């Protein structure tokens, strides 16, 4: 019976402590989330700068990134990405970046595909006839 009294006192102490102390969690919807300074975040692309070279795809350890030059698309499997930043480091045009924050959770694995805009090459000026 002495053991039961000890358990009650331990419980009562914890309950009283919780009544007078601040909550351990934050009021998330009302107060925006604060991310740690060294958080890696998630990968974002600026498709206007992308040239579709595929360096990011070849450097991705889990193979989460796919570049299809024929279809002019860049795709990432968010569930497979480990946020290592390897793709960001090798991108020659610096169109990839690690952004603080979390990706929105989903019920299924998500493949996000971005269209790479076709680069409009300015026409060459017509050759001037040379006087001989």
């Amino acid at each position: 019976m002495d053991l039961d009294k000890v358990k009650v006192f331990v419980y009562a102490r914890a309950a009283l402590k919780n009544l007078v102390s601040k909550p351990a969690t934050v009021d998330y919807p009302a107060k925006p989330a604060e991310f740690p300074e060294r958080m890696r975040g998630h990968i974002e692309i600026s498709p206007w700068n992308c040239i579709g070279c595929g360096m990011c795809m070849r450097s991705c350890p889990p193979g989460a990134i796919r570049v299809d030059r024929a279809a002019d698309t860049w795709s990432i499997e968010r569930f497979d990405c480990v946020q290592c930043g390897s793709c960001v480091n090798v991108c020659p045009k610096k169109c990839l970046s690690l952004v603080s924050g979390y990706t929105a959770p989903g019920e299924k694995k998500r493949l996000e595909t971005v269209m790479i805009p076709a680069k409009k090459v300015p026409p060459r000026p017509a050759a001037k006839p040379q006087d001989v």
Side-chain angles (χ1 to χ4, degrees), residues 63-66 75-81 109-112:
I65 297 175
R66 287 185 226 121
S75 304
I76 184 168
E77 284 278 357
R78 293 284 178 196
F79 189 74
D80 293 343
C81 179
K109 289 176 77 172
R110 290 190 325 195
L111 175 68
E112 290 183 22

Side-chain angles (χ1 to χ4, degrees), residues 2-75:
D2 290 331
L3 187 59
D4 291 334
K5 287 182 182 179
V6 171
K7 287 182 182 179
V8 169
F9 285 124
V10 170
Y11 173 75
R13 180 176 178 236
L16 287 173
K17 181 181 175 186
N18 288 337
L19 284 174
V20 296
S21 64
K22 292 173 45 175
T25 58
V26 294
D27 189 18
Y28 171 66
K31 187 177 179 184
E34 294 177 13
F35 302 108
E37 181 181 330
R38 294 186 58 167
M39 179 185 178
R40 291 183 182 164
H42 63 277
I43 303 294
E44 281 194 3
I45 184 171
S46 173
W48 293 101
N49 296 336
C50 184
I51 57 174
C53 64
M55 293 290 290
C56 54
M57 176 178 67
R58 289 188 289 280
S59 73
C60 184
I65 297 175
R66 287 185 226 121
V67 177
D68 186 357
R69 293 179 117 182
D72 285 332
T73 59
W74 180 92
S75 304

Side-chain angles (χ1 to χ4, degrees), residues 76-91:
I76 184 168
E77 284 278 357
R78 293 284 178 196
F79 189 74
D80 293 343
C81 179
V82 294
Q83 292 91 17
C84 65
S86 179
C87 57
V88 175
N89 294 334
V90 300
C91 182

